[in-house]
């Protein structure tokens, strides 16, 4: 094994660009932080171009334009064109509702490689209720048509939780009907707003098992027609996911104001200071920022991870989850069956999913907005 | 768009769909395949196959080309090539 802290880390594969935290939708599982960044804090076009230049030079291969809702930025097509010109693979992660046909065409002409369109449910009324946005479903269906008409490849992004998990079959059928090449069936993860709404979202173990059966059967049935990405929820798992492919190993995230994070939820971890691209070069931050070095590799690991044969497979799981559940980011992810806290996590999931779900706490800006009549 | 699985045949003309890119990466000094949420690092044989997926070269011609490059007989490797292409097609990395 090499002393990873001594040598320069491998370059990241992908960069998630949160162009803005603004979004017309209010999904209760939004992975954005509770403390949303405001428009006035956002980097301008020139600064984002510079970030893209630096990312390409560093060895980043894929750029995910995300948010919030990235199409809320009028300079999105500019930035897509710039990234494509640098040879970066460009992906747009969007809720779609702000798009019109002409803009989809402009994005395609700018060199966009792929679109991930989120859908909240196959039932229109439920979809709008979950998103907290009237008319969203109808718009999304139209947007999917424009994406396909422009010749852009489409992944339907379906976050699942206890409110839509029973309609998973219909959601998959919708993806086929819309002509998507891929579907991401992603059990909601409990960070940011999702954590705040966990009791309202978490499915029972029986629901989860049924959903997994549905997906597995669909994968077989739709082989060569629809490609699946299935993200299982951690809480009922035996081993954790390799969160972000390992801290500071493959992935970086840039917030609207230019803060560089190892994952989008990293800001919840106390004691980590995140640097801004406007203050220090991206390559420097990637290699030397204390926040990236803190959990990179295996040197930081406690037991049972430190002596575990899976330590370079899942990298000890998710730091933010260890923090959220145990109050300490430097512990083994409690989603792991080897963690002494795993049983408590399962008990919590079972108890919460067994109760009547509380009302959604919809995503909103934290500082009170002017009250509307 | 018809929702049926495409099956590799001798005459199929495999190509990379728009959202899949085969590219040389100077930072890592190797060929890579970029696809939605995926970066593949193809081994030598996979790379030789992918490079020939230009929408003009048939599966039998790809097999022939590989057989020549590796001094093997087309009969010997034909099945492996078809299998690899079918797998790539099922995963959405190749269109037939
Ligand atoms: S999860 Fe919902 S609220 Fe959050 S950015 Fe995406 S569409 Fe907007
Ligand atoms: S003990 Fe740590 S390294 Fe081992 S499986 Fe669990 S989380 Fe992964």
């Amino acid at each position: 094994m090499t002393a990873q802290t001594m040598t320069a880390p491998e370059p990241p594969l992908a960069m998630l660009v949160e162009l803005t935290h603004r979004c017309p939708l209010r999904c209760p599982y939004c992975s954005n932080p509770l403390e949303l960044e405001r428009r006035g804090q956002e980097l301008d076009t020139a600064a984002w171009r510079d970030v893209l230049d630096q990312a390409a030079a560093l060895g980043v291969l894929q750029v995910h334009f995300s948010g919030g809702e990235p199409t809320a930025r009028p300079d999105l097509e500019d930035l897509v064109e710039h990234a494509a010109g640098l040879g970066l693979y460009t992906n747009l992660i969007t809720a779609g509702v702000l798009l019109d046909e002409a803009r989809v065409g402009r994005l395609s002409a700018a060199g966009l490689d792929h679109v991930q369109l989120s859908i909240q449910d196959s039932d229109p009324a439920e979809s709008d209720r979950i998103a907290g946005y009237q008319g969203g479903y109808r718009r999304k269906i139209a947007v999917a048509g424009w994406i396909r008409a422009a010749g852009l490849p489409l992944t339907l992004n379906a976050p699942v939780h206890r409110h839509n998990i029973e309609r998973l079959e219909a959601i998959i059928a919708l993806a086929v009907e819309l002509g998507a090449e891929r579907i991401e069936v992603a059990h909601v993860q409990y960070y940011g707003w999702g954590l705040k709404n966990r009791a309202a979202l978490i499915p029972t173990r029986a629901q989860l098992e049924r959903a997994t059966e549905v997906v597995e059967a669909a994968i077989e049935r739709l082989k060569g027609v629809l490609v699946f990405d299935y993200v299982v929820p951690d809480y009922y798992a035996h081993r954790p996911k390799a969160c972000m492919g390992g801290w500071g190993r493959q992935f970086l995230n840039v917030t609207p104001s230019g803060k560089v994070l190892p994952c989008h939820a990293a800001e919840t971890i106390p004691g980590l200071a995140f640097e801004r691209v406007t203050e220090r070069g991206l390559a420097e931050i990637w290699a030397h920022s204390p926040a990236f070095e803190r959990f990179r590799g295996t040197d930081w690991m406690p037991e049972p991870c430190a002596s575990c044969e899976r330590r370079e497979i899942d990298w000890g799981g998710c730091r933010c989850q260890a923090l959220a559940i145990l109050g300490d980011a430097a512990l083994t992810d409690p989603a792991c069956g080897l963690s002494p806290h795993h049983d408590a996590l399962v008990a919590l999931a079972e108890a919460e999913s067994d109760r009547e779900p509380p009302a959604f706490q919809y995503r909103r800006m934290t500082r009170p907005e002017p009250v509307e009549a | 768009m018809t929702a049926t699985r495409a099956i590799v045949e001798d005459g199929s003309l495999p190509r990379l769909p728009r959202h899949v890119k085969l590219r040389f990466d100077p930072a890592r000094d190797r060929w890579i395949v970029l696809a939605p949420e995926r970066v593949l690092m193809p081994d030598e044989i996979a790379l030789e196959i992918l490079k020939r997926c230009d929408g003009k070269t048939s599966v039998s011609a790809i097999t022939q080309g590989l057989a020549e490059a590796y001094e093997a007989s087309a009969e010997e490797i034909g099945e492996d090539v078809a299998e690899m292409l079918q797998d790539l097609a099922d995963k959405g990395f190749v269109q037939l």
Side-chain angles (χ1 to χ4, degrees):
Chain A
M1 224 188 79
T2 53
Q4 301 177 37
T5 40
M6 294 289 123
T7 52
E10 291 279 311
L13 295 174
M15 175 169 75
L16 189 108
V17 163
E18 294 176 357
L19 287 182
T20 178
H21 277 166
R22 289 174 286 135
C23 181
L25 272 57
R26 300 183 291 140
C27 308
Y29 50 73
C30 183
S31 62
N32 283 162
L34 299 180
E35 196 81 37
L36 294 164
E37 292 180 3
R38 290 174 172 265
R39 182 185 218 136
Q41 301 168 272
E42 291 173 11
L43 297 184
D44 63 17
T45 312
W48 278 123
R49 282 213 195 105
D50 180 51
V51 172
L52 293 167
D53 289 340
Q54 291 192 49
L58 173 58
V60 166
L61 300 170
Q62 297 192 318
V63 174
H64 305 287
F65 290 99
S66 180
E69 178 47 49
T71 60
R73 291 270 307 211
D75 57 357
L76 176 64
E77 33 278 67
D78 248 28
L79 297 173
V80 167
E81 190 167 5
H82 191 75
L86 292 164
L88 293 163
Y89 187 97
T90 55
N91 180 30
L92 173 64
I93 302 176
T94 181
V97 299
L98 301 178
L99 286 170
D100 58 33
E101 189 168 11
R103 190 140 192 239
V104 171
R106 286 202 300 278
L107 284 164
S108 177
L112 188 62
D113 288 311
H114 180 256
V115 183
Q116 257 172 263
L117 177 70
S118 67
I119 193 99
Q120 276 65 31
D121 203 321
S122 55
D123 178 278
E126 271 299 285
S127 183
D128 289 355
R129 180 182 74 85
I130 292 165
Y133 184 85
Q134 280 311 306
Y137 179 88
R138 264 179 54 203
R139 188 74 184 179
K140 282 163 184 274
I141 299 299
V143 169
W146 298 328
I147 290 168
R148 299 300 303 151
L152 280 164
L154 173 66
T155 291
L156 203 67
N157 225 333
V160 290
H161 43 79
R162 67 197 285 184
H163 297 263
N164 62 6
I165 197 165
E166 310 284 348
R167 281 181 296 282
L168 192 46
E169 200 75 76
I171 294 171
I172 294 168
L174 181 63
V176 175
E177 196 185 308
L178 294 175
E181 278 94 354
R182 286 176 74 248
I183 183 168
E184 268 189 37
V185 178
H187 285 274
V188 161
Q189 309 220 51
Y190 304 111
Y191 315 113
W193 293 87
L195 181 62
K196 198 179 171 75
N197 283 290
R198 187 181 59 202
L201 296 165
I202 194 163
T204 63
R205 191 189 283 271
Q207 282 179 317
L208 166 67
E209 281 167 4
R210 175 77 193 114
T212 301
E213 280 169 27
V214 166
V215 170
E216 280 168 0
I219 289 174
E220 258 321 294
R221 193 175 66 241
L222 297 171
K223 199 171 190 172
V225 175
L226 189 65
V227 176
F228 282 78
D229 239 354
Y230 185 47
V231 180
V232 290
D234 271 324
Y235 283 30
Y236 299 116
H238 295 291
R239 294 291 178 267
K241 285 191 270 288
C243 190
M244 302 293 139
W247 184 275
R249 297 185 59 81
Q250 300 191 341
F251 181 87
L252 48 85
N253 184 99
V254 186
T255 75
S257 69
K259 268 188 274 181
V260 187
L261 315 176
C263 87
H264 55 262
E267 278 187 283
T268 56
I269 300 176
L272 291 186
F274 300 102
E275 296 175 278
R276 277 178 213 276
V277 273
T278 45
E279 291 156 1
R280 197 179 185 191
L282 200 62
E284 278 279 299
I285 295 177
W286 174 254
H288 302 303
S289 162
F292 277 84
E293 287 188 323
R294 177 68 181 85
F295 299 113
R296 183 178 271 143
T298 54
D299 290 352
W300 63 273
M301 284 181 176
E303 291 296 343
C305 296
S307 56
C308 178
E309 59 182 21
R310 285 180 56 91
R311 65 179 181 265
E312 292 192 359
I313 297 172
D314 62 40
W315 305 97
C318 176
R319 301 303 86 232
C320 306
Q321 186 145 280
L323 175 83
I325 304 298
L326 307 173
D328 183 353
L331 292 176
T332 296
D333 185 339
C336 177
L338 300 174
S339 158
H341 306 283
H342 181 68
D343 292 347
L345 179 73
V346 173
L348 180 141
E350 283 172 349
E352 273 186 0
S353 61
D354 209 35
R355 282 196 288 271
E356 270 301 295
F360 286 148
Q361 301 179 67
Y362 284 105
R363 181 196 123 122
R364 59 180 165 76
M365 291 280 170
T366 35
R367 247 181 295 150
E369 303 271 7
V371 182
E372 285 166 54
Chain B
M1 186 179 140
T2 50
T4 49
R5 178 187 183 199
I7 301 292
V8 173
E9 286 159 18
D10 288 347
S12 325
L13 303 172
R15 64 179 189 283
L16 303 186
R18 170 174 173 171
H19 56 285
V20 174
K21 299 201 160 162
L22 179 65
R23 190 171 282 171
F24 186 77
D25 172 29
R28 291 167 188 80
D29 193 27
R30 62 170 304 157
W31 285 85
I32 47 161
V33 178
L34 298 172
E37 302 277 333
R38 290 276 181 287
V39 178
L40 306 185
M41 311 271 175
D43 63 20
E44 197 185 321
I45 304 286
L47 179 61
E48 288 304 317
I49 293 178
L50 286 164
K51 278 184 177 167
R52 290 170 167 82
C53 291
D54 54 7
K56 287 175 257 168
T57 312
S58 70
V59 172
S60 29
I62 291 175
T63 305
Q64 199 55 50
L66 246 72
E68 276 159 30
Y70 290 95
E71 294 174 15
S73 78
E75 291 79 66
E76 254 175 86
I77 62 167
E79 210 170 300
D80 291 347
V81 171
E83 219 169 87
M84 187 176 282
L85 280 168
Q86 186 65 56
D87 187 51
L88 288 165
D90 286 343
K91 292 187 174 130
F93 295 120
V94 159
Q95 252 166 20
L96 299 171

